[in-house]
Amino acid sequence: MCGFLGLASPLGLDVSSELYEGLIALQHRGQDAAGILSFDGMFHLRKQNGMVRDIFRSRDMLRLRGNLAIGHVRYPTVGLGAEEDAQPFYMNFPFGIGMAHNGNLTNWVDLKANQFPQDNIPLESSCDVEAILYAFAQGLQRTLASEPIEQRIHQAVAAAFDRAKGAYSVCGILSEGVMFGFRDPTGIKPCILGRRQEKEGISWAIASESVAFDVLGFDRVRDLKNGEAVVLVPGQEPIFIQVVEHAHTPCIFELVYFSRPDSFLDEVSVYKTRRRFGEALAKQWQESGAPIPDVVIPIPDSARDAALNMAEVMGVPYREGFTKNRYIGRTFIMPNQEARQRSIRRKLNPIPLEFEGKNVLLVDDSIVRGNTSRKIIEIARRAGASKVYFASTSPPLTSPCPYGIDMATEKDFVARGKTVEQVRLEIGADYLAYLEIDRLIACGKAGNPEIQNFCTGCFTGKYPTADAAEHLEALSAERASARN
Ligand code: AMP
């Protein structure tokens, strides 16, 4: 999973320092590497492993000149996270094209091993945006320089869609001084367009999440449709191109966990959706006759909005029972179970007052390997809880994500092949409930009734693109070898 932001301002303005601010707002989408590519007639690039704030110095910002720039934060799900895989990518010949993306290609192995070598193009990185970049360039090569830019981009995006299978949203720069964006035919990954009036003309922005617009003072224009591209010429109105028609299936896990609550995805407020998850979970809890707790406590941070509403609907007090140490890295990607469990204890410290002698209901957004829940239940008991109930605002995760959300391989999912009762025993809870899938989907759709279906592959194992299963096999082999 990754995040990107592109800014296209009228000529004469420099956008990189704003882009930097915007990338900080998207930092939750990837903390592994970041980069900015700007264009002022020439491309200027700075990218490196690390957090946004650690990568860019004043001297970099002075060098990253131009009224067009794209930036990226990376969360690696394939590859070993090498520096050369950091984004954006660009080429100067036969065209000047820069690109950043969020997503995963499910046919990347075939593209790298077979398809591009047949065209004498050796892909050098483990980053799938390189394949999209070359496919796009091949499409552009089939057009004439005299054709209108939107026709040329139409052909280039069609070529990218033709070759690159999977889920991806892209933003890029053409050396004609134009920005573009596109969203794959299923629209699994988010991509939104923003606008800001300057005295020099209109600035355009394209991003993975609308929160980047809020911090930069851009208005949300609209999300790109699935299979759609946009051409942004600074100072002019955007040109939208519907390249292919297909069923739209945005990722529901963005709403559950990944996106910031202050973002809107396909018109759906992440915050309100999480509140709805809480309400739905409260109703489900009550209907099922589950034991009523004395207090509801969220696992910070992503479960807070749901837990607060769950408590309100159930008429039970809500308390912040855990203090989170923000300076501990991600426990999710630690190399082994022991290291992950240790870090969870260091990351979350209980306030015993909220646990002593109480029946507590802990709420988290999801249970993946079960490490967090198992450890937290243990912490709650040590802090004096009489009974520890556990609720997940999403259904059991059982299937890996082929589209770039970092999920365990099949055997790591604690719920895979188990009943809820077996998972309850495994994590040591006195009661366990998962939000049912139909309720989860209803909460998402309530935010935008035009969405017919979400991608729920991680809960159901049913994926909206054809070659997902093959890709998962390759991915799991790659992860196993990376771990070794
Ligand atoms: P686990 O300990 O493996 O069960 O992971 C569950 C916790 O990880 C939950 O608290 C989630 O908020 C969080 N989580 C779920 N999916 C991801 C992900 N793809 N990357 C990082 N954290 C995640």
Side-chain angles (χ1 to χ4, degrees), residues 75 253 257 332 364-372 405-406:
Y75 183 141
F253 205 68
Y257 168 76
F332 203 79
D364 203 355
D365 61 84
S366 57
I367 303 174
V368 188
R369 299 182 182 95
N371 285 320
T372 309
I405 294 238
D406 187 21

Side-chain angles (χ1 to χ4, degrees), residues 138-414:
Q138 287 180 316
L140 207 57
Q141 206 154 18
R142 292 195 279 272
T143 67
L144 297 173
S146 56
E147 286 178 60
I149 190 70
E150 62 274 19
Q151 279 181 30
R152 301 185 68 212
I153 289 182
H154 188 152
Q155 293 304 317
V157 174
F161 285 169
D162 223 34
R163 279 218 137 160
K165 304 298 171 200
Y168 49 92
S169 286
V170 172
C171 75
I173 297 174
L174 273 190
S175 56
E176 279 89 339
V178 168
M179 183 159 285
F180 60 88
F182 53 93
R183 196 171 177 189
D184 81 84
T186 53
I188 291 174
K189 300 293 174 190
C191 186
I192 185 161
L193 187 67
R195 175 190 198 280
R196 190 178 68 190
Q197 185 69 51
E198 324 280 358
K199 37 182 205 317
E200 296 84 352
I202 302 166
S203 287
W204 297 104
I206 183 155
S208 298
E209 262 183 62
S210 63
V211 63
F213 301 163
D214 298 345
V215 298
L216 300 179
F218 279 70
D219 296 323
R220 281 190 286 131
V221 176
R222 71 165 172 85
D223 297 78
L224 280 199
K225 293 185 197 142
N226 55 308
E228 188 180 45
V230 66
V231 183
L232 301 169
V233 183
Q236 297 181 20
E237 287 303 313
I239 306 167
F240 294 100
I241 311 159
Q242 192 62 50
V243 182
V244 295
E245 298 282 349
H246 199 278
H248 185 199
T249 50
C251 165
I252 203 149
F253 205 68
E254 288 272 355
L255 296 169
V256 170
Y257 168 76
F258 213 75
S259 291
R260 263 177 58 156
D262 41 351
S263 280
F264 287 75
L265 307 175
D266 293 303
E267 306 281 316
V268 180
S269 152
V270 178
Y271 172 73
K272 281 197 193 166
T273 311
R274 293 191 184 156
R275 302 254 313 154
R276 286 193 287 273
F277 291 156
E279 181 179 345
L281 199 48
K283 288 188 179 146
Q284 186 186 310
W285 192 273
Q286 287 166 329
E287 284 163 21
S288 68
I292 299 302
D294 298 322
V295 63
V296 172
I297 295 179
I299 315 295
D301 292 310
S302 38
R304 280 205 175 102
D305 303 322
L308 183 55
N309 214 26
M310 185 175 185
E312 270 173 33
V313 173
M314 287 168 74
V316 170
Y318 167 93
R319 292 288 182 271
E320 291 283 345
F322 293 104
T323 304
K324 182 171 172 179
N325 183 337
R326 287 169 205 290
Y327 306 100
I328 300 218
R330 291 165 50 213
T331 56
F332 203 79
I333 54 162
M334 300 255 162
N336 57 54
Q337 289 285 80
E338 208 187 309
R340 281 192 284 264
Q341 297 239 4
R342 252 196 335 263
S343 311
I344 293 165
R345 179 65 190 89
R346 290 180 197 146
K347 194 169 190 167
L348 291 172
N349 200 35
I351 295 177
L353 180 71
E354 298 301 351
F355 292 88
E356 277 156 8
K358 293 184 191 165
N359 297 335
V360 300
L361 167 56
L362 306 182
V363 183
D364 203 355
D365 61 84
S366 57
I367 303 174
V368 188
R369 299 182 182 95
N371 285 320
T372 309
S373 38
R374 192 180 304 116
K375 191 76 201 167
I376 282 180
I377 289 166
E378 198 185 299
I379 296 171
R381 290 200 197 283
R382 287 226 188 102
S386 306
K387 295 254 191 261
V388 185
Y389 312 135
F390 203 94
S392 162
T393 73
S394 61
L397 283 160
T398 50
S399 305
C401 174
Y403 306 123
I405 294 238
D406 187 21
M407 293 267 181
T409 49
E410 281 180 13
K411 65 179 177 33
D412 292 330
F413 287 106
V414 67

Side-chain angles (χ1 to χ4, degrees), residues 20 27 46 48-57 60:
Y20 170 89
Q27 185 79 81
R46 166 92 177 132
Q48 196 181 293
N49 282 355
M51 305 276 277
V52 176
R53 62 163 187 253
D54 300 323
I55 294 174
F56 302 97
R57 300 270 166 256
D60 300 314

